[in-house]
Every structure is written in structure tokens, then in C-alpha cells.
Amino acid sequence: MKHYLLSVVTPADGVPPAPEELGHIMRRVEGFHRELQEAGAWVFDGGLSAPDTATVVRAKDGDTMLTDGPYIEGKEYLGGLSIIKAPDLDAALVWGRKAALAIGLPIEVRPFEGEVEG
């Protein structure tokens, strides 16, 4: 069994959904997470705060330097993630499609290196 990262690709200049629409989205996401758990594919999931809340830690000359904000400015950012277990990429892509339908944003599906137990 492999682990896969399902990344929620969020537009940096996107307009947040209205509260009513957000409620519908969150119910679909909760259903998606429940389905993952019932199938034994769920490992972890979570949403992330906006990029401007980030702090970047860089190593330099045996010390570290802290910088406010995201490492890279971009048109999109990682808005949330799920880590799942799936037997292969095709199965992970099925979960990626379900995530995209639930959330309404693009989902990047990427395998972790190596195999995992269970």
C-alpha cells in the first residue's frame, strides 16, 4: 500500500465562497472524509491558514534565518491536504476526483516515496 498526498490547489486571488455556499462545500468535504475513513484509506487531512501566516526557516552558515510570508509568491497556494492510502495511482486518482468534486478546486495527487505498512 502506498501513501498519496491530495493537495488542494487554491487560487491566491480567488474570492472566498459566500457563507451559504461554504456550508454546502464543507458538508461535501465531510462526506468525502467519512467515505475515506469507511474505506480504510484515510490517514490525515487538514486545511491550512493563508500564505501570509507562514514563516520560512532557512539554514545559512550553520544558523537559521526566519522570514515572514510564503517561500514563493504565486498565483496558487496549498490550501489544504489529505494523506491517503491506496494500492496504486489509479485508486488514488479516484479519491482525487472525489476530492475535486467535493471541494470544487483542483486537486494534485502525488505519491510518497516507497511503500507503507498496512
Side-chain angles (χ1 to χ4, degrees), residues 4-108:
Y4 291 84
L5 173 67
L6 306 183
S7 303
V8 180
V9 180
T10 305
D13 61 354
V15 177
E20 183 177 297
E21 178 60 19
L22 183 59
H24 292 300
I25 292 168
M26 293 313 297
R27 283 189 289 282
R28 290 194 307 263
V29 170
E30 289 168 6
F32 168 68
H33 290 161
R34 194 170 35 257
E35 186 178 353
L36 275 172
Q37 291 169 352
E38 290 170 357
W42 182 87
V43 176
F44 176 83
D45 64 69
L48 297 171
S49 297
D52 63 356
T53 65
T55 303
V56 178
V57 181
R58 288 182 175 84
K60 183 176 181 179
D61 299 327
D63 201 0
T64 57
M65 180 176 66
L66 303 178
T67 307
D68 290 337
Y71 176 68
I72 298 174
E73 296 288 333
K75 294 181 181 182
E76 300 170 328
Y77 65 92
L78 178 62
L81 58 94
S82 293
I83 298 174
I84 64 165
K85 293 184 287 188
D88 55 37
L89 179 59
D90 289 337
L93 290 172
V94 169
W95 289 116
R97 288 182 185 100
K98 290 181 180 197
L101 290 170
I103 298 168
L105 292 171
I107 303 296
E108 178 183 332

